[in-house]
Amino acid sequence: MEVLPEADCEEDATITDDEEGVRELKSGLSNIRITPTVTHIAKPRPQVDLSKCPSSYKENSSQEKLMLAMAENFRQQYALLYPDNKALLLCPVNECGVQKFVSTTLRSTLLPYPELYDWKGCASFVSDYLSLELLDPPFELPKQLSSPTWVLQTQRGTCFDFSSVLCSLLLGAGYKAYCVSGYATKEMCLLDQSRQECPLLQTQIQGKTEEPKKTLRKYSVKPPRDLHSSFEKRQEEKRHTEAKEAALKEQLEAERLQKEKERPPPDPLLGLRVHSWVLVLSGNREEPENFFIDPLTGKSYSTTNENFLGIESVWNHQNYWVNKQDCTFGCGEMTFDMGDLSKWEYMLCGLTSQSMSNISEPKTLQEAEDEEEQEMDELKVFEMPPSWVTKIDISPPDMEMRFPGGMKVVQYRKAKLEKFAPYLLKDGLVTKLSIYKDLDCTQPSTIKEWFSNRGDCLDERELHTDSNVTSEHFRPGRRDALRCHRYVTLVPETERQMDFYSHTRTDGLARRLEEPFEMTETFEDRTDFLFYRHVVYGKQVKVIWAGEAFEQRPLRRVEERFHRDPSKPASKDVAERVFMMSDRRIQVTYHLEEDRIIPAWLNFMKPKEAADSQKAQAFTPQMVSGFQVDRSAKPYKNLQLYEMLVELMKDEENVELRIRDSEKAVKSILSLRKKEESNTDLLISIYNTMRNKMAHWHMEEKERMAKEKKQRQKEKELDLLAPFQARLGQPEALTDQEALQLKTDCLTEFKELLNNKTSRIKRRIEKEMEELQKKQQWYQKSQLTLTAKDEDDYHAYCSEAMFWIHILKMRLRRHI
């Protein structure tokens, strides 16, 4: 493993030439600054309010102080035994500036969200919820390791903060998870995925499907003998094989040149970049193999992946292990048996240090008892202090918001992936994938969008910029049962394809293909066994209907096909009928019988209709031509043929009406889609009281009614007759005389109240008039010496006094 030596040496130690060279290299590399390619690198964190932090964040317990002393002793021994290795991450400071041991920073937590019950959901959540703060410099360990609660609150942190949060969630979910401190490639440390393929674009390998064998009938026609030369055929196959091999060779060479062109420049810090990830060991949760999880991307990797260049140490909530294996060629040959002292050095001795080596060795009952007695005799082993971190909690709104600021952008190779929180955008967009033709991502070729909670049930949309073709996919629930819509523009009578949920439509329509002069409809599970209809139009003409003129495409040809109806004989069951309006002909073809190779058919010529100066053409047998398979069958009579022609002409009119209804339905769907796109409505659950205005109004109305009910209850409890009943001794039942006495007392007291109010109003009037008279007398005495301001004040006072006297007199009249 290629690492930098420790920079902090003792003051009395001599500095060798190698150390000076390494120090110069470090000083030169520290000046290198590489701009990351991700668009969600976090800004500096806000300051911590120490007054709101718990006491465990601001001070250490006696057990934690002892743990710090042991860690310092371990660090000194490690530095003495391995002077060339880099320092270990043991006791960084937390957000409050207090030293904490790394194992106590982990807090095993199981959150009440189903998606966080497995490692994939936990890794995806951490990578989406947090923003990255790069290590500065990239080849040094961080001096601060914040608590998972603070990291989740600020939604930002270093790769070590990511690992602490993810490891805490995995431990709570029951996994054997460990935080890893090591070295990785530049792309992984900087969260640079610009040279990786987008996960949504992973091509699925389709195996060759064997063609179904055709069933040969007993009397089927044998195929003609193949008269081609087998030698020429082998030579042709040989030439095709050589051409394919040459094309494949050229393709591989082009891919190699492209990879050489896209290969990044050599990294001057290769093997020195510090990174942290999570190790998950097999055993728990039915995990068959050990694997790594990169918390920055949420992806899993094999322990032999070349992106991981070395490991210094690992830790969990119980112990701390230092790697003693050689990582010169990466982690491919490493073993993760933590009980092997030749490969791992643990800090705390005891059961936690040997649990990995003894977990797979079954013991007998006698051996277990002997071991227990031996442990009781020995001194008590020091255990890891409990976590100083408070309980990890994520509120449902934060869980729903998911991304910092509600959105996240990831740049892949020739693709850009944008993720949004639900209800963040008005159109309900949650995921957008833009695929480009070039590496600079300037020429888009395809844009895919995924939606949620849309009122129009739109689920996915795909736009090909080259052909300008848009494909929309809908969830079940629309009134028109539209499932997929492929179009260039929303203008009617243009090229488009509509797929429907046929089982929810009464007509069983499954697909409608529309072109400027053609329309094809396919049906499923119809009672009349119709499954195909093809319409050919002519050029648009002006049509006057009900006094209004509009353009309409005339029908030139309509073809319908039917499935076999078992209740009818094949010679009477229509398989296909063609209405040729331009030629005034109707052709009917019946189903093929089992022992026949040619079906029966009839061809009708429609008689001309009556015109202004001509009569309608009469039906004649010459207007019908056909073929009957069974020669022994009786030919159709003229009356039968006439009735069949009349029935077919009625069917032609009905078919034309259905076709016009289909055209109206297409226009209605297109106009509805325009309205839906211009004014998008998002569906809100009735249980979402924060966004559901109706539910919020119901809650407020319920609270208001509860308050009114409580107020009425208080008023009901206030009995106005209680004082009068007390005078009577609170009898349970009143006699007639007592009731009359109660009535008299109430009326008497009520009259007294009215008289008292009359007296108060009269006294107020008399008082106001006395004050007015005094003011008037004062004015008569001082009239000659008053100033203009005094006169204005006097007139204003008189006006106000007369106003109040008038009001009091009006109240007195109303009261009387």
Side-chain angles (χ1 to χ4, degrees):
M1 178 171 51
E2 188 178 0
V3 298
L4 286 175
E6 185 69 17
D8 300 333
C9 301
E10 296 182 1
E11 296 180 358
D12 55 348
T14 58
I15 301 176
T16 62
D17 296 338
D18 295 338
E19 292 176 344
E20 291 180 356
V22 171
R23 189 167 296 177
E24 292 178 0
L25 176 62
K26 290 177 64 177
S27 61
L29 294 177
S30 61
N31 297 326
I32 299 176
R33 291 294 181 269
I34 300 175
T35 304
T37 57
V38 292
T39 58
H40 55 283
I41 297 298
K43 299 179 181 179
R45 297 191 190 185
Q47 296 295 328
V48 182
D49 188 1
L50 297 179
S51 61
K52 297 181 180 180
C53 294
S55 59
S56 61
Y57 285 58
K58 297 179 288 185
E59 58 186 18
N60 288 317
S61 63
S62 58
Q63 198 174 7
E64 287 179 321
K65 292 178 181 178
L66 181 57
M67 186 70 238
L68 294 177
M70 295 176 62
E72 177 62 21
N73 183 27
F74 184 84
R75 186 195 66 80
Q76 293 178 4
Q77 295 183 37
Y78 179 79
L80 181 62
L81 296 175
Y82 304 97
D84 295 335
N85 286 10
K86 199 168 184 179
L88 301 175
L89 182 66
L90 292 172
C91 303
V93 298
N94 62 358
E95 60 268 24
C96 298
V98 180
Q99 271 193 329
K100 297 288 184 178
F101 190 65
V102 288
S103 296
T104 60
T105 306
L106 301 178
R107 177 65 186 262
S108 177
T109 304
L110 180 63
L111 294 174
Y113 300 105
E115 63 179 297
L116 301 182
Y117 291 169
D118 61 347
W119 72 264
K120 292 182 180 179
C122 294
S124 176
F125 169 75
V126 172
S127 62
D128 291 341
Y129 194 76
L130 304 180
S131 297
L132 176 62
E133 289 181 351
L134 297 177
L135 297 177
D136 189 18
F139 47 81
E140 291 289 346
L141 293 171
K143 298 180 181 179
Q144 176 179 331
L145 183 62
S146 303
S147 64
T149 54
W150 175 251
V151 174
L152 292 173
Q153 180 181 352
T154 58
Q155 289 189 264
R156 58 190 66 182
T158 63
C159 56
F160 288 86
D161 296 325
F162 275 66
S163 299
S164 298
V165 176
L166 179 56
C167 190
S168 300
L169 297 179
L170 293 178
L171 291 173
Y175 290 92
K176 292 182 181 178
Y178 300 82
C179 290
V180 180
S181 174
Y183 307 92
T185 57
K186 170 187 173 183
E187 288 75 14
M188 184 163 287
C189 295
L190 296 181
L191 190 51
D192 183 6
Q193 305 180 73
S194 59
R195 291 181 177 86
Q196 300 180 13
E197 294 291 338
C198 181
L200 297 178
L201 293 179
Q202 293 178 352
T203 57
Q204 298 179 355
I205 301 175
Q206 298 179 354
K208 296 182 180 179
T209 57
E210 297 181 357
E211 296 181 358
K213 296 181 180 180
K214 298 181 179 179
T215 57
L216 299 177
R217 296 180 180 179
K218 182 177 180 181
Y219 299 103
S220 60
V221 180
K222 295 182 179 180
R225 182 179 297 178
D226 188 9
L227 301 178
H228 293 86
S229 173
S230 59
F231 175 77
E232 292 180 355
K233 185 181 294 185
R234 288 195 298 270
Q235 293 295 323
E236 186 69 22
E237 292 177 356
K238 185 177 179 181
R239 285 193 295 270
H240 280 300
T241 304
E242 292 177 353
K244 288 182 179 179
E245 291 178 355
L248 180 61
K249 187 176 180 180
E250 292 179 359
Q251 182 180 358
L252 293 176
E253 183 65 19
E255 291 179 357
R256 187 185 66 81
L257 295 176
Q258 184 68 19
K259 289 182 179 179
E260 289 289 337
K261 183 179 178 181
E262 297 177 8
R263 180 176 297 176
D267 184 14
L269 300 180
L270 182 63
L272 303 177
R273 294 182 180 273
V274 176
H275 190 55
S276 178
W277 61 93
V278 175
L279 166 66
V280 178
L281 297 184
S282 60
N284 289 12
R285 296 295 301 270
E286 300 180 357
E287 291 296 338
E289 296 179 354
N290 306 333
F291 61 94
F292 292 147
I293 301 178
D294 182 22
L296 304 185
T297 59
K299 298 179 182 178
S300 64
Y301 297 89
S302 171
T303 55
T304 59
N305 191 276
E306 63 276 3
N307 290 315
F308 303 95
L309 305 179
I311 294 178
E312 288 286 356
S313 60
V314 300
W315 64 89
N316 62 1
H317 62 301
Q318 294 178 335
N319 209 338
Y320 188 95
W321 293 268
V322 179
N323 179 30
K324 299 167 62 176
Q325 305 172 65
D326 185 16
C327 297
T328 305
F329 302 100
C331 304
E333 299 180 357
M334 286 188 59
T335 59
F336 296 95
D337 183 5
M338 303 301 178
D340 190 350
L341 298 181
S342 63
K343 298 178 180 179
W344 295 93
E345 183 69 33
Y346 55 83
M347 176 174 290
L348 299 181
C349 62
L351 297 177
T352 58
S353 62
Q354 300 177 358
S355 59
M356 299 306 302
S357 60
N358 300 332
I359 191 170
S360 60
E361 300 178 2
K363 299 179 180 180
T364 62
L365 180 60
Q366 184 64 30
E367 291 177 353
E369 292 178 355
D370 295 343
E371 184 178 351
E372 186 176 357
E373 292 178 359
Q374 184 178 0
E375 290 176 1
M376 293 296 294
D377 295 338
E378 294 178 355
L379 295 177
K380 186 177 180 181
V381 179
F382 181 81
E383 295 182 356
M384 185 68 64
S387 177
W388 53 272
V389 181
T390 57
K391 182 181 178 181
I392 298 176
D393 186 24
I394 302 175
S395 62
D398 292 340
M399 191 71 184
E400 183 180 346
M401 187 58 66
R402 187 79 176 195
F403 312 105
M407 66 171 296
K408 180 181 181 181
V409 182
V410 184
Q411 192 74 34
Y412 293 100
R413 184 180 179 274
K414 295 185 179 181
K416 183 175 69 172
L417 180 63
E418 303 174 61
K419 298 180 181 180
F420 305 91
Y423 300 103
L424 181 67
L425 302 181
K426 295 182 179 180
D427 58 351
L429 181 65
V430 293
T431 306
K432 181 178 180 181
L433 176 63
S434 302
I435 306 173
Y436 299 89
K437 302 177 183 177
D438 56 339
L439 293 174
D440 297 334
C441 297
T442 57
Q443 302 176 5
S445 62
T446 305
I447 299 176
K448 295 183 179 180
E449 297 175 333
W450 287 265
F451 303 86
S452 67
N453 306 313
R454 294 258 307 201
D456 56 0
C457 300
L458 180 62
D459 187 52
E460 181 182 347
R461 177 188 293 148
E462 183 175 353
L463 171 64
H464 297 274
T465 56
D466 296 336
S467 58
N468 200 25
V469 175
T470 303
S471 299
E472 296 178 338
H473 300 269
F474 300 86
R475 300 185 304 274
R478 292 179 60 90
R479 291 186 177 181
D480 50 20
L482 185 62
R483 182 170 63 90
C484 180
H485 186 199
R486 183 176 178 273
Y487 62 93
V488 177
T489 176
L490 290 176
V491 177
E493 300 177 2
T494 56
E495 185 177 356
R496 73 183 66 258
Q497 174 182 334
M498 291 183 178
D499 294 341
F500 300 87
Y501 293 98
S502 59
H503 61 280
T504 60
R505 291 181 61 98
T506 56
D507 57 355
L509 180 62
R511 174 172 293 182
R512 180 183 287 130
L513 293 173
E514 188 178 8
E515 296 180 3
F517 295 100
E518 291 184 9
M519 184 176 68
T520 304
E521 294 178 328
T522 56
F523 304 88
E524 294 179 354
D525 301 330
R526 283 178 63 108
T527 56
D528 58 356
F529 298 96
L530 175 67
F531 72 92
Y532 176 83
R533 179 185 292 149
H534 180 69
V535 184
V536 179
Y537 295 96
K539 294 183 178 180
Q540 287 187 349
V541 295
K542 290 186 178 180
V543 179
I544 299 176
W545 178 262
E548 297 182 0
F550 57 93
E551 293 184 352
Q552 190 179 64
R553 295 178 297 177
L555 302 179
R556 298 180 59 86
R557 175 188 173 92
V558 179
E559 178 182 351
E560 290 185 338
R561 298 175 186 173
F562 299 84
H563 284 301
R564 181 75 172 87
D565 186 0
S567 62
K568 298 180 181 179
S571 59
K572 302 295 183 181
D573 188 13
V574 178
E576 180 183 31
R577 61 185 183 185
V578 182
F579 303 98
M580 290 169 277
M581 285 77 165
S582 58
D583 299 337
R584 299 185 60 82
R585 289 193 301 117
I586 301 176
Q587 183 176 350
V588 180
T589 304
Y590 296 94
H591 278 280
L592 183 66
E593 298 182 4
E594 293 183 0
D595 56 347
R596 304 291 181 176
I597 61 174
I598 300 176
W601 57 270
L602 289 174
N603 193 358
F604 295 88
M605 291 290 297
K606 293 192 299 183
K608 296 181 180 179
E609 299 176 354
D612 296 337
S613 58
Q614 296 180 355
K615 296 182 179 180
Q617 186 179 4
F619 174 76
T620 60
Q622 289 75 19
M623 294 182 179
V624 183
S625 60
F627 171 77
Q628 280 186 326
V629 180
D630 189 3
R631 294 187 177 183
S632 62
K634 295 182 180 180
Y636 291 104
K637 297 181 180 180
N638 292 340
L639 179 60
Q640 292 177 337
L641 294 175
Y642 176 74
E643 292 177 350
M644 293 173 63
L645 177 59
V646 172
E647 188 69 22
L648 288 172
M649 292 177 66
K650 292 181 180 179
D651 292 341
E652 181 180 353
E653 293 178 0
N654 294 332
V655 167
E656 185 175 359
L657 292 177
R658 296 192 191 99
I659 293 171
R660 299 306 179 189
D661 291 340
S662 297
E663 295 174 359
K664 294 179 182 178
V666 171
K667 294 179 181 179
S668 175
I669 292 174
L670 296 181
S671 61
L672 179 61
R673 289 294 302 129
K674 289 181 181 179
K675 293 180 181 179
E676 291 171 347
E677 289 299 325
S678 60
N679 186 15
T680 305
D681 294 331
L682 299 181
L683 298 177
I684 301 175
S685 173
I686 59 174
Y687 303 105
N688 191 347
T689 57
M690 298 298 295
R691 291 191 177 92
N692 196 321
K693 296 181 180 179
M694 186 61 65
H696 190 64
W697 179 81
H698 280 300
M699 291 294 293
E700 292 181 349
E701 188 70 14
K702 188 176 180 180
E703 293 178 358
R704 186 184 62 82
M705 293 177 65
K707 290 181 180 179
E708 291 181 354
K709 185 178 180 180
K710 189 175 181 180
Q711 184 66 22
R712 288 195 298 268
Q713 187 69 20
K714 289 182 178 180
E715 294 177 355
K716 188 176 181 180
E717 293 176 357
L718 181 61
D719 190 1
L720 299 178
L721 296 179
F724 301 98
Q725 291 178 351
R727 298 175 185 175
L728 300 176
Q730 295 289 349
E732 295 181 359
L734 296 176
T735 61
D736 295 342
Q737 185 178 0
E738 291 175 345
L740 291 175
Q741 183 64 30
L742 188 64
K743 176 183 177 183
T744 304
D745 295 343
C746 290
L747 291 177
T748 303
E749 187 163 343
F750 182 64
K751 290 180 181 179
E752 292 180 359
L753 290 175
L754 294 179
N755 293 331
N756 292 336
K757 188 175 181 180
T758 304
S759 302
R760 288 197 301 270
I761 296 175
K762 289 181 178 179
R763 287 197 299 269
R764 181 71 183 275
I765 294 174
E766 293 175 356
K767 182 179 179 182
E768 291 290 339
M769 293 186 68
E770 288 179 0
E771 292 180 356
L772 180 60
Q773 289 179 0
K774 291 179 180 179
K775 196 69 175 178
Q776 289 176 351
Q777 292 176 1
W778 171 82
Y779 178 75
Q780 293 294 336
K781 294 179 180 179
S782 308
Q783 185 176 7
L784 299 177
T785 60
L786 292 177
T787 61
K789 183 180 180 181
D790 295 337
E791 290 186 359
D792 294 339
D793 295 341
Y794 168 74
H795 292 301
Y797 173 79
C798 292
S799 177
E800 185 177 359
M802 293 299 295
F803 172 75
W804 282 113
I805 292 172
H806 175 71
I807 292 297
L808 292 172
K809 290 182 178 180
M810 185 182 298
R811 288 181 179 177
L812 180 60
R813 288 196 299 271
R814 290 180 179 178
H815 179 67
I816 294 175

